[in-house]
Amino acid sequence: MEEEHANLENFLEWTAELGISDSPYSFTQSESLTRRSSSLGLSLCVSDFPEAGGRGLAAVRDLQKGELILRVPKSALMTTQRLMMEDQKLSVAVQKRPSLSSTQTLTAALLNEVGKGKISWWNPYIMQLPRSYDTLASFGQFEAQSLQVDDAIWLAEKALGKAELEWKEATPLMSELKLKPQLLTLKAWRWASATISSRTMHIPWDVAGCLCPVGDFFNYAAPGEEPYGSDGSRAQGIASSLQDSSWYTREISDDEKFDPNSLRLMDGKYEEHVGAYCFYARRNYRKGEQVLLSYGTYTNLELLEHYGFLLNENPNDKAFVALEPGMYSLCSWPKDSLYIHKDGMPSFALLLAVRLWATPPNHRKSIGHLVYSGTQVSAENEVIVMKWIAKECDVLLKSFPTSVEQDMLLLSTIDKLQDLHTPMNLEKELPAFRGEVCAFLSSNELQGGRIGAKLLVSKKARKSLYRWKLAVQWRLKYKKILLDCISQCSEIINNISSY
Ligand SMILES: C[S@@+](CC[C@H](N)C(=O)[O-])C[C@H]1O[C@@H](n2cnc3c(N)ncnc32)[C@H](O)[C@@H]1O
């Protein structure tokens, strides 16, 4: 703990030397200030937020919406270009392999830097990186299956397969760089690619993005999740992203107000004219509050995929029901626009597609304009639509091996287990989950007897338990969206019938 603290102090001093600053003053003013021993302290400080991302950044004073709160100069950004400039061997090896993607190259370059240990110029930064991640690519077979929803299991398996393929393709590059054997493993590759996936920020000159010391300490809030500043105004815009070029709140100029692109304002971006990554407060913050950044608009599954966490309340979450093949061909909307919103309401496109499908084929052409304008076709049509959507949700819910109530019980048991002092016999505690519990125990070699003490000694099992919990939390939220959809549909049917 003390060592961690010393590392952080050392890191903040190093970042101050690089010109990273949370000074509210403009560049020239701040440059003339006396040399600082920490890059933070004037607007932000590092703090722990166990319920919202762990380590993050807190306001050290009241912050105003739109205020500049952190600047990271270009020279402090870890990019492939920068790493190649510093390392001739890396540069030669990379140039021989133009077929590797930018992200593969940055991943290999990061591992190359890690291999240098203390002599790496980037060592103070590397020491601050998490030791492990919970992105979907780090889910094992058991954890992936625990997601229960076919599309989600498929995505987790695809993420793992992709990491493996990219690692194989990049291995000749890493071998030429003579990386230590432990850095040539798939495990090391998965760590480095999760670092890139969860921490890089968008830059205009490299699609792989950059690693941004201190800037990557900001935890995430969904766009739309906290749109109200303490001034009560609703912030404009959609998302920003660590890796997305859509910008969020900032002082909006008159020109931008009339420009549709003003919807792409964000709370952090690389600004060419100052040669730095600049971060702005997306709303007013009180002293002590966590200052959050929007990395983009993500469903919970996408957050899990790229960042290894999910939000309790995610306004952008969605659930999907399978449509009949004929329905897809009836409309020209992309499949991913046909979904159920977090509050259980069918998306606009889903509603339209089902309304059209519920209309007799010989009438579809004549009522097409009504459907496309979003108007109900008729009371009968609407009842058919709502009944169909509710039935599909119900069929899907019944196809899962566990119910909402059972998942809630499982989650509270996992919580108890995470408190390592509660030894328990999982098989007895959770008879309804025999298969799942057995799979957890056998994938972590924990069979037989009480498992509290065993978890204490097995780091791998504790990580698996945590990822299992993420998977169960995710599927529970998914099922709740389906249940809410059934309620919404029933309410609409009742309203129609009462007229
Ligand atoms: C860019 S880093 C943010 C800083 C990070 N907490 C740290 O200590 O380095 C992104 C990671 O922080 C965590 N994170 C960010 N926002 C979160 C949130 N709202 N809830 C839970 N975890 C979050 C996730 O692990 C994510 O991959």
Side-chain angles (χ1 to χ4, degrees):
M1 203 66 185
E2 265 174 31
E3 194 188 326
E4 240 173 60
H5 184 73
N7 277 342
L8 181 62
E9 298 262 289
N10 179 28
F11 169 69
L12 293 176
E13 194 177 333
W14 176 74
T15 52
E17 282 163 19
L18 299 184
I20 299 179
S21 170
D22 68 344
S23 163
Y25 306 110
S26 74
F27 240 6
T28 23
Q29 276 170 303
S30 69
E31 273 164 1
S32 65
L33 289 177
T34 46
R35 235 175 109 88
R36 297 173 59 199
S37 61
S38 169
S39 52
L40 300 181
L42 296 174
S43 302
L44 304 164
C45 68
V46 177
S47 196
D48 192 32
F49 299 93
E51 301 301 319
R55 179 181 58 181
L57 294 171
V60 296
R61 56 183 176 84
D62 289 354
L63 301 175
Q64 295 293 315
K65 177 175 160 187
E67 200 181 324
L68 176 65
I69 47 172
L70 184 70
R71 265 187 327 260
V72 181
K74 186 175 183 184
S75 54
L77 302 176
M78 189 197 272
T79 60
T80 304
Q81 197 186 40
R82 175 76 197 276
L83 293 171
M84 280 170 41
M85 263 162 52
E86 289 165 353
D87 186 330
Q88 180 66 17
K89 207 163 99 190
L90 173 69
S91 174
V92 171
V94 165
Q95 277 163 25
K96 279 194 227 160
R97 294 174 178 84
S99 62
L100 292 180
S101 72
S102 311
T103 308
Q104 280 172 301
T105 310
L106 181 58
T107 311
L110 172 62
L111 286 171
N112 181 48
E113 214 48 51
V114 171
K116 294 178 188 169
K118 285 193 176 146
I119 64 158
S120 163
W121 186 82
W122 295 97
N123 190 51
Y125 174 65
I126 290 169
M127 297 290 288
Q128 293 304 315
L129 294 174
R131 297 283 165 265
S132 70
Y133 295 94
D134 301 302
T135 50
L136 277 191
S138 45
F139 274 37
Q141 185 65 20
F142 158 72
E143 295 130 12
Q145 289 298 324
S146 301
L147 292 163
Q148 289 186 351
V149 176
D150 286 345
D151 287 351
I153 298 172
W154 175 82
L155 194 68
E157 287 170 350
K158 193 182 86 168
L160 181 58
K162 183 169 172 264
E164 201 167 335
L165 179 71
E166 291 185 341
W167 165 68
K168 283 191 182 140
E169 288 170 350
T171 296
L173 166 64
M174 296 190 290
S175 301
E176 182 174 332
L177 294 170
K178 299 206 167 36
L179 296 196
K180 291 176 191 145
Q182 68 267 32
L183 293 174
L184 283 172
T185 59
L186 175 60
K187 190 173 170 211
W189 181 264
R190 280 159 77 177
W191 172 84
S193 39
T195 302
I196 308 288
S197 162
S198 65
R199 306 186 78 84
T200 48
M201 303 199 183
H202 172 80
I203 42 172
W205 65 91
D206 186 346
V207 290
C210 69
L211 287 163
C212 179
V214 189
D216 64 359
F217 281 0
F218 283 109
N219 284 320
Y220 174 84
E225 190 188 55
E226 47 161 33
Y228 299 98
S230 36
D231 57 356
S233 65
R234 200 179 160 86
Q236 292 196 14
I238 34 172
S240 71
S241 165
L242 278 187
Q243 260 301 2
D244 181 308
S245 55
S246 41
W247 312 134
Y248 204 64
T249 54
R250 174 165 56 82
E251 196 60 1
I252 300 167
S253 71
D254 281 351
D255 282 346
E256 284 169 329
K257 275 180 196 149
F258 297 105
D259 176 359
N261 288 331
S262 65
L263 285 178
R264 295 171 68 80
L265 291 173
M266 89 168 217
D267 36 10
K269 72 165 189 163
Y270 183 75
E271 294 189 359
E272 198 62 62
H273 64 288
V274 277
Y277 227 99
C278 297
F279 296 87
Y280 300 86
R282 65 197 303 207
R283 62 168 173 86
N284 295 343
Y285 287 98
R286 292 248 168 261
K287 182 177 170 178
E289 253 188 288
Q290 172 161 218
V291 180
L292 296 159
L293 187 74
S294 163
Y295 315 157
T297 305
Y298 293 109
T299 63
N300 271 340
L301 188 60
E302 289 163 340
L303 282 176
L304 259 189
E305 181 187 2
H306 302 293
Y307 300 99
F309 73 96
L310 46 83
L311 292 177
N312 226 350
E313 282 301 322
N314 184 351
N316 304 306
D317 209 10
K318 293 173 187 169
F320 292 84
V321 284
L323 302 193
E324 292 176 16
M327 285 182 173
Y328 293 114
S329 54
L330 271 181
C331 65
S332 53
W333 295 287
K335 262 186 172 183
D336 61 5
S337 66
L338 307 165
Y339 61 87
I340 299 160
H341 285 282
K342 189 216 164 249
D343 63 0
M345 284 306 287
S347 71
F348 186 74
L350 174 60
L351 212 49
L352 267 52
V354 186
R355 279 179 184 156
L356 210 51
W357 166 83
T359 304
N362 53 341
H363 288 130
R364 280 180 194 151
K365 211 168 177 183
S366 58
I367 55 93
H369 65 286
L370 267 187
V371 173
Y372 284 96
S373 69
T375 314
Q376 277 186 25
V377 175
S378 65
E380 296 76 36
N381 178 280
E382 203 64 3
V383 170
I384 298 173
V385 168
M386 293 302 151
K387 280 190 176 162
W388 186 87
I389 295 176
K391 187 192 92 218
E392 289 307 302
C393 290
D394 189 53
V395 168
L396 187 54
L397 274 168
K398 290 193 174 123
S399 73
F400 296 128
T402 54
S403 66
V404 163
E405 292 71 27
Q406 287 173 323
D407 286 347
M408 281 161 55
L409 171 69
L410 177 55
L411 272 183
S412 72
T413 312
I414 295 178
D415 276 341
K416 279 193 233 158
L417 258 183
Q418 279 185 314
D419 166 12
L420 299 169
H421 303 291
T422 322
M424 59 173 78
N425 187 326
L426 262 193
E427 283 141 313
K428 276 199 185 141
E429 198 87 16
L430 295 169
F433 293 89
R434 259 193 83 72
E436 196 166 346
V437 164
C438 287
F440 169 71
L441 296 176
S442 70
S443 71
N444 290 290
E445 289 148 26
L446 292 170
Q447 296 101 321
R450 299 172 151 236
I451 68 164
K454 291 182 186 166
L455 271 178
L456 247 175
V457 288
S458 170
K459 209 163 144 191
K460 174 179 171 273
R462 287 203 302 277
K463 275 192 208 149
S464 171
L465 185 70
Y466 182 73
R467 290 173 190 151
W468 185 18
K469 181 176 167 179
L470 280 176
V472 179
Q473 281 175 328
W474 179 81
R475 75 191 193 203
L476 177 59
K477 289 185 190 309
Y478 201 91
K479 290 174 193 177
K480 283 187 173 164
I481 296 180
L482 297 175
L483 274 179
D484 284 346
C485 182
I486 296 176
S487 307
Q488 298 272 19
C489 292
S490 311
E491 203 180 312
I492 295 171
I493 294 170
N494 288 342
N495 285 344
I496 294 173
S497 327
S498 65
Y499 278 113

